[in-house]
Amino acid sequence: MKVLVINCGSSSLKYQLINTDTDEVFAKGLCERIGIDGSQIVYQKEGCQKEKTLTPMPTHKEAIGLVLEYLMNEETGVVKSLDEIDAIGHRIVHGGEKFTESVLITDEVIEAIEECSELAPLHNPANLTGIRVCQMLMPGIPMVAVFDTAFHQTMPEKAYLYGIPYKYYENYSIRRYGFHGTSHKYVSNHMAHFLKTRLKYLKVIVCHLGNGASISAIDHGKCIDTSMGMTPLEGLMMGTRSGDIDPAILEYIQKKDNITIEEVMDILNKESGVYGMSGISSDFRDLTEAEEAGNQAAARTLEAYAYRVAKYIGSYVAAMNGVDAIAFTAGVGENSAVIRSEICKYLGYLGLTIDEVTNHAGSGDRIITTPDSRVRVCVIPTNEELEIARETMRLVKGDKAE
């Protein structure tokens, strides 16, 4: 089955055309600066060089139209007509409590996604735009909504409720939802397969460490806790997001700098995290290079980052009363041996021993602990687009979830 995966942002669009029978990616790319001067489309057929074209894209309609033109291009296209595309999978950021799994898109589903938009005002409207444009340009092709929040909907009340008056949950749905669920689901299942066992037999912690970062505790196949909250701002310190802080800080900064709450939130989302603490960069590669050059701000920032990750891992070991395997994934988790090593230095109490040779060498799926380590630590590259494509295929074919 050929599945087109669409991930719409407010001014961007990522896409991949995937063969779900073989996991082959026919083509992929990105539309940038939609509705902004200087918009461009990036297209790459598997095995070929990237094509980059500056072209006006006033709305997502023009962007998706260009994607379809490139996919059908006589020279570098991968389909002869849109009839060859069997289904479309859409990444939807927030499903609230309405969606506990992926669903076939209907008018009722679209209405429910709209109702969740107040929980993700920057993301859900853009996701809905992608759905509506695809309905317009490719009528009749089945579409599936895959939610970032769905995987975490198995969390119990003790994990997702906040210590505020219960009426705010009842009236406004204020609770922990968690994000990166598609990645956590893919990585946990893939790691179990890599370890030649079933996820339902394991206690697993997945560390999705990128510019945005989250950790989840997966107990015998079900997520029982995750670090992000009602929004992606809660949890770990990230590239530019603050992560967990004392809520009173918001009022304190607001009064001291005489700024609005919106300006404070902008600081916490866009000027904080490792960028704010170091004053150098939100890119962990820059921080690692600066630390190696003797920069103390970079050193303390990376130390603080590793410490916070290790604290979350420790809390989830307690929540599950043990752990069998830990996975590192996403840009930092997959590529920074130094950060993995620093995090794991705090985990010796688990009987965990890192093999530094394996940790610093190799690529792809691999175990980076020694054979006698009581807990296995793996590096598992994430593939959210493939997970979306698989979910889309499953629902279109009418197969039941595992």
Side-chain angles (χ1 to χ4, degrees), residues 94-99 107-121 124-125 128 132 172-173 177:
H94 218 306
E97 293 185 310
K98 298 178 184 294
F99 298 102
D107 289 341
E108 292 74 20
V109 167
I110 290 174
E111 184 178 343
I113 295 172
E114 285 179 331
E115 291 172 2
C116 295
S117 289
E118 67 176 0
L119 295 171
N124 274 30
L128 284 165
R132 292 190 173 105
Y172 308 130
S173 301
Y177 290 98

Side-chain angles (χ1 to χ4, degrees), residues 79-152:
V79 294
K80 292 182 179 179
S81 76
L82 296 182
D83 294 337
E84 293 182 40
I85 297 175
D86 299 297
I88 304 168
H90 291 269
R91 180 218 180 194
I92 310 296
V93 167
H94 218 306
E97 293 185 310
K98 298 178 184 294
F99 298 102
T100 60
E101 60 181 6
S102 306
V103 293
L104 284 164
I105 293 174
T106 63
D107 289 341
E108 292 74 20
V109 167
I110 290 174
E111 184 178 343
I113 295 172
E114 285 179 331
E115 291 172 2
C116 295
S117 289
E118 67 176 0
L119 295 171
L122 297 179
H123 297 93
N124 274 30
N127 302 155
L128 284 165
T129 297
I131 291 173
R132 292 190 173 105
V133 171
C134 287
Q135 284 179 323
M136 186 188 312
L137 298 179
M138 292 176 280
I141 295 179
M143 298 193 293
V144 168
V146 180
F147 299 89
D148 273 8
T149 51
F151 182 65
H152 304 303

Side-chain angles (χ1 to χ4, degrees), residues 344 347-354 369-376:
C344 290
L347 307 178
Y349 67 95
L350 296 173
L352 183 158
T353 310
I354 291 293
T369 39
T370 58
D372 61 346
S373 179
R374 288 170 55 192
V375 175
R376 287 173 290 185

Side-chain angles (χ1 to χ4, degrees), residues 151-300:
F151 182 65
H152 304 303
Q153 284 297 298
T154 52
M155 285 190 293
E157 284 186 323
K158 63 183 179 183
Y160 70 68
L161 288 176
Y162 288 115
I164 58 177
Y166 190 71
K167 65 180 180 180
Y168 292 115
Y169 169 61
E170 292 180 301
N171 296 339
Y172 308 130
S173 301
I174 294 176
R175 52 158 284 183
R176 175 175 287 107
Y177 290 98
F179 299 89
H180 294 145
T182 306
S183 175
H184 287 283
K185 181 179 180 181
Y186 173 84
V187 170
S188 56
N189 278 296
H190 190 78
M191 179 168 66
H193 178 75
F194 176 64
L195 295 175
K196 296 181 171 58
T197 187
R198 300 284 296 277
L199 187 58
K200 66 180 181 180
Y201 301 135
L202 297 174
K203 295 179 179 181
V204 169
I205 295 172
V206 174
C207 303
H208 178 110
L209 308 181
N211 196 268
S214 61
I215 298 181
S216 63
I218 303 162
D219 193 351
H220 296 88
K222 294 187 181 297
C223 177
I224 58 113
D225 209 341
T226 191
S227 58
M228 283 181 168
M230 179 176 168
T231 76
L233 184 58
E234 185 182 359
L236 298 172
M237 180 169 63
M238 307 175 211
T240 61
R241 295 185 188 127
S242 67
D244 297 334
I245 62 169
D246 181 344
I249 292 173
L250 279 71
E251 182 188 30
Y252 192 80
I253 292 175
Q254 185 181 14
K255 289 181 176 179
K256 284 291 186 181
D257 285 357
N258 192 28
I259 57 178
T260 66
I261 189 63
E262 289 78 14
E263 289 174 305
V264 175
M265 293 304 297
D266 204 51
I267 291 168
L268 297 183
N269 275 290
K270 299 178 181 179
E271 299 177 26
S272 301
V274 298
Y275 169 70
M277 184 180 284
S278 69
I280 298 170
S281 174
S282 64
D283 192 312
F284 284 78
R285 292 169 295 188
D286 295 339
L287 293 176
T288 302
E289 289 178 6
E291 180 188 34
E292 291 171 352
N295 187 293
Q296 291 303 305
R300 69 167 178 253

Side-chain angles (χ1 to χ4, degrees), residues 336-354:
S336 179
V338 172
I339 289 176
R340 290 194 301 263
S341 181
E342 287 302 309
I343 293 167
C344 290
K345 285 179 181 178
Y346 291 98
L347 307 178
Y349 67 95
L350 296 173
L352 183 158
T353 310
I354 291 293

Side-chain angles (χ1 to χ4, degrees), residues 296-327:
Q296 291 303 305
R300 69 167 178 253
T301 300
L302 291 176
E303 184 178 15
Y305 181 82
Y307 177 67
R308 284 161 171 76
V309 174
K311 281 206 301 181
Y312 260 101
I313 291 173
S315 69
Y316 289 165
V317 172
M320 295 191 293
N321 195 22
V323 64
D324 298 304
I326 299 169

